[in-house]
Every structure is written in structure tokens, then in C-alpha cells.
Amino acid sequence: MQKPKIAFIDDEPRILRSLKMHFRQSHDVFITTDAAELMEYVSTNDVQVVISDQRMPDKQGTEVLRDIKAASPNTLRILLTGYADLNAVIDSVNEGEIYRYITKPWQNDELKKIINKATEIAQQTQEITHNTIQGDDTQRSTGSNRNILVLDDDESVYQQIKSHFKGAYTVSWANNLEQAAKLLQKKRFGVTITDSTLNKENITPIVYALKNIQPDLMVLMLTEFKDAHMVIDLINKGQVYRCLPRPTNFSIMSISLDRAFDHHERLVEQPILAARHHVEEVTESEALNFSERLKGFFAKFRSWRIIR
């Protein structure tokens, strides 16, 4: 049986040799320090996963993964780095649409678990993603069928989004978790635009919950990004689709919304593609730190998931 193909790119040959040794029994491993060589390999081989370091002499890892995404959309992309650089992390979401962001030093068992899961997902969805990506988008819905939930305690943000996208999208608003829960139970949303805080409370765990319950929901984070580690968690645990900075740039948001809804509708048409947005589970220790409001939201959605 042919081994699945994975590729590593790093500027340190020693690290590459170590990675190849660790994965050679389970995978056909390609290693390189050269981005052009990697692109040639991916273009001529069916590669399930590419793992790129961020800081290299000639090209940033986020740029490498953006190019990989364009050349081989089915290939899952992982960024591996020792530097939690905020701009790089945001670019890895917006440009590379990566599956995971892994910081150095990594644990070999954890790295193997992540890459094995990524390999499995790429293999499961290979033919479907190819057919869907090459497919006809003319059947995609517009207008009233494209529902956006704005989760923000600033009503002016909602009003601006509603006014700017009038006719293109149906925009609903919640300024607290109770309202959000009611809206999510009543209506199917394709995209949610949310801040990382609501009424001064960190609600990023809500993003994790929503992606577990509705994997086809595309999440656009609209916030003042200050913490790279928060964004890393939003990638690994929430599979956010885009990170948009405040104040709102509606030209960028318009492009992001169109792409987000197209992606959402692909997932609705082919639910197995949701596997590509597999998120890490919230640990028990993390759950213990949730406020009573967050715990209440999670409780409501556990019952909602059972009903649906």
C-alpha cells in the first residue's frame, strides 16, 4: 500500500532530517529548504500535508502556504514556528487558511497526532474537494438566503454592516449570549462576525463551541488583535475563516464575506468537507475557567445539538 505523501520545508537541515526520521515509517516524506523546490514537488505529486516553518531566508512560511493553497487546494497546510508573531499568525489565517499553527519546541507525539489527523482528512476529502473546487458556482444562493449573525455589543457596528450590505445579505444582531442563543436556534447562519469580547468578557470559547456544533459556519473575527496566542487558539480550536481588524474596512470585509459564503455553501453541499475544519476539543481544565454565562451558553447548545 502506498504511503501518504507529506512535505516539510525549513531552513535548518538538522530539523528536516529529524522530522523525516520521525515520519518515514508512516509517510512518504519530502524535505527541502527551498520554496521553489517544494512548489515543484507539490505540483507533480499528490501531497496530503505540507508543514512549513515561518522564518526562512527567502520567503515567509505564510507566503509558502498561500502558494501551496493556490497550487494544490486539497493539501492541508500547517505552520510550524518558534515565533508567535502576531502579523504572521493573522496572515496564516487570511492568506494560507491553515489547518494548524504549531509552536516550537513541539512534542513529537503531539505533532504526529496532528499530522496523522491532517493526512486522514486530506485522504477522506481528496476527490470531493477536487470536484467541488472545480465545480460550477452558479447555483450558489444570494440575498435573503445568506444570513449573517453579528455578535457585538456595539450597535453601530451592526448598523454599519447592515447598511453597507443591504440587499446582499440578511444581517441579524445579538449583543449578549442569550440573544445569540435564541437567534442561532431559530435561523441557519452561514457567517458570523464577532468580536473576541462581549460586554468585557472573553467569548472566544463560544467560537470553539459553534464550530463543533455547526462546522459549516464561517467565523470572521472583527477585533483589535493584540495577542498572537489568542489568534493561534482561534485557528487550532475555532478554525476561524478570517481575522479582520477594527476599525472596519468594508472593502476587505466584502471580499471576505463573499468567499466565506461560497465556502459555507460548499460545506453544506458536501458535509464531509467539514472534516477539513476539525477543531481541537476544549479541555476540562479550560472549561472549569468559563464564567457562568459561558457555561450556560454551552449547556443550551448541547441540548440544541441533540434536538437538531
Side-chain angles (χ1 to χ4, degrees):
M1 184 176 178
Q2 190 175 18
K3 292 179 181 179
K5 289 181 170 62
I6 59 174
F8 292 93
I9 180 168
D10 197 295
D11 65 340
E12 296 188 47
R14 176 184 58 82
I15 290 178
L16 290 172
R17 289 193 297 269
S18 174
L19 288 166
K20 184 168 186 176
M21 186 183 308
H22 192 66
F23 286 95
R24 65 184 179 184
Q25 289 188 339
S26 57
H27 292 77
D28 181 351
V29 185
F30 176 82
I31 58 174
T32 183
T33 59
D34 183 79
E37 189 176 44
L38 174 65
M39 286 300 299
E40 182 179 354
Y41 178 76
V42 170
S43 298
T44 55
N45 289 273
D46 181 17
V47 181
Q48 276 70 48
V49 185
V50 167
I51 303 95
S52 175
D53 187 33
Q54 170 60 7
R55 294 197 174 184
M56 292 179 289
D58 300 324
K59 208 168 191 179
Q60 296 291 292
T62 49
E63 297 175 287
V64 171
L65 295 181
R66 179 193 61 201
D67 293 344
I68 294 294
K69 173 177 172 279
S72 179
N74 183 64
T75 301
L76 265 70
R77 301 163 295 278
I78 294 173
L79 195 66
L80 187 67
T81 181
Y83 305 91
D85 178 83
L86 180 58
N87 290 331
V89 180
I90 291 174
D91 285 347
S92 72
V93 178
N94 295 347
E95 301 294 334
E97 292 181 12
I98 67 169
Y99 172 71
R100 288 292 185 270
Y101 190 110
I102 302 173
T103 53
K104 298 176 182 178
W106 64 82
Q107 296 293 323
N108 283 335
D109 289 345
E110 184 64 20
L111 181 63
K112 191 166 187 177
K113 179 182 176 182
I114 291 169
I115 291 177
N116 285 346
K117 183 65 178 178
T119 302
E120 176 189 330
I121 290 168
Q123 289 176 316
Q124 287 175 346
T125 60
Q126 179 175 353
E127 293 303 321
I128 294 171
T129 52
H130 176 78
N131 293 336
T132 304
I133 289 164
Q134 299 298 328
D136 183 3
D137 286 342
T138 58
Q139 299 298 318
R140 305 225 180 274
S141 64
T142 57
S144 61
N145 292 325
R146 289 192 157 193
N147 298 313
I148 298 173
L149 173 61
V150 176
L151 187 54
D152 198 296
D153 49 26
D154 185 349
E155 184 177 0
S156 67
V157 172
Y158 159 65
Q159 294 293 352
Q160 288 172 355
I161 293 172
K162 182 180 179 181
S163 175
H164 193 85
F165 296 107
K166 185 178 181 181
Y169 305 108
T170 300
V171 184
S172 301
W173 174 53
N175 66 356
N176 59 61
L177 294 180
E178 291 74 16
Q179 288 180 352
K182 289 177 182 177
L183 286 168
L184 286 160
Q185 289 177 28
K186 289 179 180 178
K187 187 180 291 188
R188 184 80 170 187
F189 292 94
V191 173
T192 183
I193 301 172
T194 180
D195 200 338
S196 60
T197 60
L198 188 66
N199 300 313
K200 299 182 180 180
E201 182 172 25
N202 176 18
I203 62 164
T204 53
I206 297 302
V207 175
Y208 315 156
L210 291 176
K211 288 299 290 186
N212 268 301
I213 295 161
Q214 188 186 333
D216 59 66
L217 180 67
M218 297 294 102
V219 179
L220 274 57
M221 298 298 302
L222 180 64
T223 191
E224 295 179 4
F225 296 102
K226 297 177 181 178
D227 184 353
H229 294 284
M230 180 193 77
V231 184
I232 291 171
D233 278 347
L234 286 167
I235 296 169
N236 294 343
K237 298 177 183 178
Q239 278 290 287
V240 294
Y241 186 70
R242 290 289 186 271
C243 293
L244 306 178
R246 289 183 186 268
T248 307
N249 182 317
F250 284 107
S251 296
I252 294 175
M253 181 178 284
S254 180
I255 295 170
S256 297
L257 282 171
D258 279 344
R259 291 177 179 173
F261 270 106
D262 283 346
H263 201 73
H264 160 72
E265 286 156 6
R266 290 190 193 101
L267 296 184
V268 172
E269 292 164 6
Q270 297 285 355
I272 194 172
L273 290 177
R276 296 176 68 84
H277 296 272
H278 166 74
V279 293
E280 296 177 1
E281 293 186 5
V282 177
T283 65
E284 289 187 16
S285 60
E286 287 177 301
L288 288 173
N289 293 324
F290 292 165
S291 71
E292 292 305 314
R293 290 167 63 82
L294 289 179
K295 289 176 181 176
F297 185 93
F298 277 89
K300 286 181 182 179
F301 272 79
R302 287 192 191 98
S303 62
W304 177 50
R305 178 164 48 183
I306 293 170
I307 292 170
R308 295 186 67 174

